[in-house]
Amino acid sequence: MKDTMRELIVRRQRGENCGIPSYCTANPIVLEACLELHKKLDAPILIEATANQVNQFGGYTGMRPADFRDMVFSAADKVGYPRDMIVLGGDHLGPLTWVNLSEEEAMANSRELVREFVLAGFKKIHLDTSMKLSSDDKDAPLSDDTIARRGAELYAVCEEAYQELRKADPDEQRPTFIIGSEVPIPGGAQAEEDSISVTKPEALNETLAAYRRAFESVGRGDAFENIIGVVVQPGVEFGDDGYFRYCPENAEKLVAETKKHKSIVLEGHSTDYQPSEALKEMVRDGIAILKVGPALTYALREGLFALSMMEKELVGSGRVDFPQVLENAMMNDPSKWVKHYHGDEKQQALCRRYSYSDRCRYYLTVPEVSAAIEALLENMSGIEIPMNMLHQYMPVQYARIIRGHLENSARELVKDYVAELALDYCYAVGFTEDIPNIHY
C-alpha cells in the first residue's frame, strides 16, 4: 500500500506543487462519483469522516469507524477502484461532540474515539482539542498548552493502537497526523461575516511550539516525524449565499512562514465553492490538503433537483416531487438547520433549499428522503430523457452526452454533478492538467 500522505510531503520538499483533495462525506452517491472520477484519473483518494459523523457511539450516520471503512471499501469494490489507493481520514478527532462534559469524561470518550479510528485502519488523523469543555474556565481563552497537552494525550493513544495493529501485521503503515484547528466549527460559518482573518504566522509557530513541549513532556519527542500538517485559516469561508475567495496577498505572511517548516503542509478547511483557479493557488502556496464537504452534497442536491424538474414534465402518476419531500422532512425536524438559518420565513425557506452550508445533507438519510431519491432515480431510469430537455435543465451534462463522455441515465447524470465539483479539486492538486478534456 502506498504511503500517500508521506509521499506528498516528500514531493513538496522536492519542489512539486502537488496536493490532495479531502472528501468529507458519508453519502453513497457522492462516494461512488468521487471514486469513479479518481479511477478515471488513476489518482489516490482521501476520504474523511468527522467525529460527529462517525464515532464509537455511531455519530449522526449511525456508523462506527470500522463501519465507515467497510462502506467506503464496498463502494470502491463496486466501481473497481483499488482499496490500496484509498486513504481514510478522521477529522476533528477529540472532544468535539462532548463539550458539555468535564475534561475527565470528554477526554475518556476522545481516547476511545481515536483508538477506534486507528484500529479501523484510518491513516490520516486530525487531532483537534481546541474546544472548551464544561470544566474549563468560561471567561478565559483555552491556552495553546492545554490544547496541545490534550492533543498529545490522544496521540499517545493512537500510537498504542498502531502497535496493536503491528502485532498482526509488522508492515502496517503508521498513521500520519494533522494538528491545529480553524474557526468556525465544521460545516461553514453560522453567521454572515464582513471579512475573514487569516491565521497569523505567530499563531502557527505557537501551535507548533506548544505541541513540541507537550510531546516532550510525555516522552514522545519524535512525534513530529509523523505530524505532516497544520490546520489554518487561509482566508476562505462560505455562508448561506456567498463565499470568501482565496486571496494570495492576504495569506502571504502565513505562506512565507510555513516554508520554514519543510516537513509540514497546511490543511485548508471550508474550501467549498472556491473556483478551481483559487484552489490551485492554495496548493501552490502550501495549502496542500483541500478539505471539501458541504459542496459535495450541495452538488448532489442540485442534480436531484434538476432531475426532479424533468420528472414533472415526463412522469404522470407516481411522481416523487423530491424537493417537497426534502422540505417536509426538514420542517418535521428543524433541529439540524434552525440555529443556522436566519431571517424571515421566506429567507429560511430559501436557505433550506439553496444555502451553501447545505444543512439538507443531514436529511438525505431520513428514510422517507432516501426512499424518495431512489424512487426519483427509478422513475427517471424507466424513460428516455429527451436531449432538448437535458439542454434546458442539465446543460453541462448535455454537452458531455453529445460528445460521448457520459451515459444518458438518471443515476449517471446526478453523479456527474458531484464529479464536476470534485474535478476542480483534482485539477488544483495536479491529478489532471486539462479540465476541458475531462469535462467535455
Side-chain angles (χ1 to χ4, degrees):
M1 179 181 291
K2 292 180 63 176
D3 197 344
T4 299
M5 302 311 297
R6 287 185 175 85
E7 286 181 10
L8 171 64
I9 301 299
V10 172
R11 291 175 62 198
R12 290 200 65 90
Q13 288 174 335
R14 292 200 299 254
E16 296 183 42
N17 286 332
C18 57
I20 190 167
S22 170
Y23 304 120
C24 194
T25 184
N27 184 277
I29 298 176
V30 170
L31 286 173
E32 189 174 321
C34 292
L35 286 162
E36 286 180 346
L37 175 63
H38 281 246
K39 178 184 178 183
K40 181 188 299 184
L41 299 175
D42 191 27
I45 193 168
L46 169 58
I47 300 172
E48 301 212 38
T50 59
N52 57 350
Q53 192 178 44
V54 174
N55 58 49
Q56 67 266 41
F57 302 111
Y60 71 74
T61 64
M63 287 186 284
R64 296 171 70 165
D67 300 322
F68 184 86
R69 174 202 63 203
D70 293 345
M71 180 193 67
V72 172
F73 284 172
S74 177
D77 293 344
K78 179 180 179 181
V79 304
Y81 184 86
R83 290 187 178 189
D84 62 4
M85 291 180 68
I86 299 171
V87 181
L88 293 175
D91 195 29
H92 294 286
L93 300 190
L96 173 66
T97 58
W98 302 296
V99 293
N100 294 326
L101 301 179
S102 67
E103 176 175 356
E104 181 180 0
E105 296 171 298
M107 289 302 292
N109 284 344
S110 300
R111 289 192 294 272
E112 180 58 27
L113 172 73
V114 298
R115 181 177 180 276
E116 286 204 13
F117 267 87
V118 172
L119 290 179
F122 286 67
K123 297 303 180 186
K124 176 183 173 290
I125 304 295
H126 174 208
L127 300 175
D128 184 6
T129 52
S130 62
M131 57 290 301
K132 282 188 178 183
L133 306 177
S134 67
S135 54
D136 291 324
D137 186 345
K138 294 178 175 56
D139 299 320
L142 201 61
S143 70
D144 288 332
D145 285 329
T146 297
I147 293 170
R149 174 178 58 78
R150 292 171 179 171
E153 180 181 334
L154 297 183
Y155 176 89
V157 175
C158 292
E159 178 64 19
E160 291 167 4
Y162 166 66
Q163 295 302 331
E164 284 188 46
L165 290 177
R166 287 197 67 201
K167 291 178 182 177
D169 181 3
D171 296 325
E172 182 76 33
Q173 284 180 13
R174 178 178 260 108
T176 56
F177 294 85
I178 308 294
I179 57 174
S181 189
E182 93 293 348
V183 177
I185 62 173
Q190 296 187 31
E192 295 301 321
E193 301 176 61
D194 295 325
S195 63
I196 294 293
S197 297
V198 176
T199 299
K200 291 180 171 57
E202 300 81 28
L204 172 67
N205 288 330
E206 286 167 7
T207 293
L208 294 171
Y211 265 92
R212 286 195 175 94
R213 289 192 297 270
F215 286 135
E216 289 172 2
S217 70
V218 294
R220 296 189 180 273
D222 60 349
F224 263 86
E225 295 176 8
N226 303 309
I227 306 293
I228 65 162
V230 181
V231 175
V232 296
Q233 173 50 275
V236 299
E237 190 52 82
F238 56 90
D240 285 334
D241 60 359
Y243 74 99
F244 290 93
R245 189 192 193 280
Y246 178 64
C247 178
E249 292 78 14
N250 292 345
E252 189 173 359
K253 292 181 180 178
L254 173 63
V255 168
E257 190 65 32
T258 304
K259 290 180 179 178
K260 299 176 183 177
H261 305 281
K262 302 296 185 181
S263 62
I264 64 169
V265 295
L266 301 180
E267 176 166 301
H269 288 209
S270 300
T271 69
D272 306 67
Y273 311 108
Q274 296 288 316
S276 59
E277 58 269 25
L279 294 170
K280 199 167 188 68
E281 289 170 346
M282 292 173 71
V283 173
R284 177 203 64 197
D285 290 346
I287 308 159
I289 303 173
L290 302 175
K291 293 192 69 65
V292 56
L296 293 166
T297 43
Y298 183 93
L300 173 62
R301 194 271 313 154
E302 278 191 316
L304 291 169
F305 271 29
L307 202 63
S308 188
M309 292 296 291
M310 293 187 288
E311 183 196 37
K312 288 183 178 180
E313 301 276 6
L314 299 173
V315 177
S317 60
R319 194 165 60 211
V320 174
D321 194 0
F322 171 73
Q324 189 58 53
V325 174
L326 180 60
E327 171 71 3
N328 291 344
M330 296 183 77
M331 291 302 291
N332 289 338
D333 175 17
S335 63
K336 297 177 179 64
W337 61 265
V338 70
K339 294 180 181 179
H340 298 262
Y341 297 156
H342 309 288
D344 58 23
E345 290 185 8
K346 181 178 180 180
Q347 182 61 33
Q348 290 182 8
L350 289 172
C351 285
R352 285 195 296 274
R353 290 196 174 200
Y354 304 116
S355 171
Y356 281 151
S357 66
D358 190 48
R359 304 300 296 179
C360 70
R361 70 188 184 276
Y362 295 104
Y363 296 84
L364 297 180
T365 55
V366 172
E368 58 266 32
V369 177
S370 59
I373 293 172
E374 291 305 317
L376 172 61
L377 294 174
E378 181 66 24
N379 280 350
M380 297 304 288
S381 295
I383 57 178
E384 183 175 346
I385 304 174
M387 291 299 293
N388 53 4
M389 191 175 292
L390 280 170
H391 192 282
Q392 171 70 44
Y393 293 110
M394 293 183 163
V396 172
Q397 287 66 40
Y398 167 87
R400 291 179 184 152
I401 290 171
I402 64 173
R403 288 168 175 80
H405 298 312
L406 181 65
E407 177 186 342
N408 185 3
S409 72
R411 192 174 187 89
E412 295 305 310
L413 289 168
V414 169
K415 285 193 298 183
D416 197 63
Y417 269 75
V418 178
E420 181 185 4
L421 182 280
L423 188 60
D424 285 344
Y425 287 83
C426 291
Y427 167 75
V429 303
F431 289 165
T432 179
E433 295 182 356
D434 194 348
I435 286 183
N437 288 343
I438 299 292
H439 268 277
Y440 303 118

